[in-house]
Amino acid sequence: MPPSSLKVLAILIGTFWASRLPAQEATPPPDPSSFRFEYSGELRQETAFRYASPANFSKIRQFAKADVKFTFNEHLKMKIGGRGWYDAVYDVTDQYPEDVRVNMRKELTIRDAYLDITASKVKIRLGNQQIVWGEALGQFFADVVTPKDLREFFLPSFEFIRIPIWALDLRYDFLPGWTLEAVLTPDMSVDKLAPQGADFAFFIPPPPPGFNQVLLSDDKPETDFKHWNGGLRFSYLVKGWDLAWFYYTSPDHVPALFKTVTAGPGGTPTIVLDPKHKRIQNIASTFNKSIGDAAVLRGEFVYAIGRYFNAENINVNQGVVRRDQFRYVVGFDYTFHGFDMNAEFQQQAILGSTRNVADDILDTWIFLRFERGFLDEKLIAELIFIVGLEAGDTELSPRLHYRVSPSITLTWGTDVFSGPQDTLYGEFDHSDRVFMNTSWKF
C-alpha cells in the first residue's frame, strides 16, 4: 500500500478502538500474562515416480513450513508463516525443458503475514492471508478470492494450492448467526500454471496444418492502486441451514488465450497465443445443512460474468468469445460403519449463444472419496475417484497414511489418469505416478 493509504487505515483503526473505550477512562496497562508465543512447522520429503512413458522420477522434493503466532491480548493477534522447497529431480535428471526447471526447481515464499484485531462484533484481518469462500473437495467453485498454484493440478492439499493475497478482510457479526464480510485488496495475483513440458501442464490444442504456434509468457495484471479487487459476503444461519451470498470482482485467475496470426520465419503463418487475465464478476451462493448426526448436504453455485473462451474462428476478435459461465457443485458427506464418504456432482456450462465457441459448452463430473481408519486410527486408507460424464476422463487416487507417531506420518499412493487428451483429467494420462511422502510436524 502507498504511505497515504496506510495512514488512512491507521486513523480508521485507531478511531474504531478509541470509540470502544469507556468515556473519561484511561487505557488500562497491558497485562503481561496475556501475551503468548506459539510456533509450529512441518518438514516433508516427497518422492514420486512417473511410470507412464517415459518412466522416471518426477519429484524428489524437500519441503519445509514454519508458522509463528503472537497473542498480545484477547483483541490483538499476529501470525507470520512461510514455506520453501527444493526439488532435486530437476538436477539429477535432464527430462524437463529449461523453463520448467527454472519455474519448479525451488521456491521460498511468505504464506501468512497478518494481524487480527477483534472486538465483540467486529473482526479485522489485515495482511497476507487465505480467504476461503468455498469448500468443495474435487475442484474450486465458490473459492474465487485467492488464486491457486496448479503446477501439480488439484493433487496437493487445497491449503497449499491456495495462494495467499495481501488484503483487508473485515467481518461484522451484526446479529447472532448473521455476518457481513467485506474484502478489499490491491493484490492482482493470478493462478500459477505449470510451464509447457511439465508433468501437469494444461493441454493446448496444436495449430492447424501448415501453421506454427508460439505461446507468450503470461500477461499477468500489475498491481495498480487505482484498480482494486473486492467483494461482499453475507452469511446467516436459519433453521439449521448455513447460507451465504457473495459478490466478488477481480481479473480472471485463469488466463484466456488471445490469438494473433502473423508471418513467421520463411513466410510460414504463425499463431501467437497471448495469455491475458480480463476482469470478471462472480455472483455466488453456498449452503450446507447437517442431516442427523452423520450426514451433511452442501452446495456452491457461481455465476461468472464476462469470461473469455476459445473461439472456432481465430481471425475474429483475437480468437476469443466473451460469455457468462455457470458453475455449481452439490455435495453429500456421510459417515457409516467407520467409513467417511464424500460425494459431489460438479457441473459447468457456458451460457448464451454457442456460435463460434470452441470450448466444451457443458462439462460434468462425479467426485467420490472414501476414508477408513484401522489400527486405532494409526492406518488411514483413502480412495478418490473422479469421472467426467461427457468424455469419460477419470482420476483414480488411492492412498495409505500410516501414523508412526503423533508427529510423523508416512503416505503411499498413486495417481492414475485416463481419457482423451483434450479433457480435464485425460490430459494428464502421461503423468501417472506412484509416490511416497514422509511428514514430520512439530
Side-chain angles (χ1 to χ4, degrees), residues 16-58:
F16 166 75
W17 283 109
S19 67
R20 301 199 60 82
L21 294 174
Q24 298 180 347
E25 289 186 11
T27 303
D31 181 7
S33 63
S34 66
F35 177 80
R36 294 198 311 274
F37 169 78
E38 304 170 77
Y39 69 91
S40 62
E42 180 182 5
L43 298 177
R44 190 164 68 238
Q45 204 287 323
E46 303 175 345
T47 301
F49 184 84
R50 184 184 60 246
Y51 60 84
S53 180
N56 210 333
F57 283 99
S58 58

Side-chain angles (χ1 to χ4, degrees), residues 44 65 72 85 104 120 154 167 171 185 190 207 218 242-243 245 272 274 321 339 351 359 387 392 423-424 438:
R44 190 164 68 238
K65 172 179 177 286
F72 301 101
W85 46 260
M104 302 185 64
S120 59
F154 297 128
R171 301 186 186 191
T185 171
V190 294
D218 196 351
D242 187 352
L243 306 173
W245 302 82
V272 179
D274 187 6
V321 290
F339 281 90
L351 306 180
D359 292 323
V387 58
T423 57
L424 182 61
T438 303

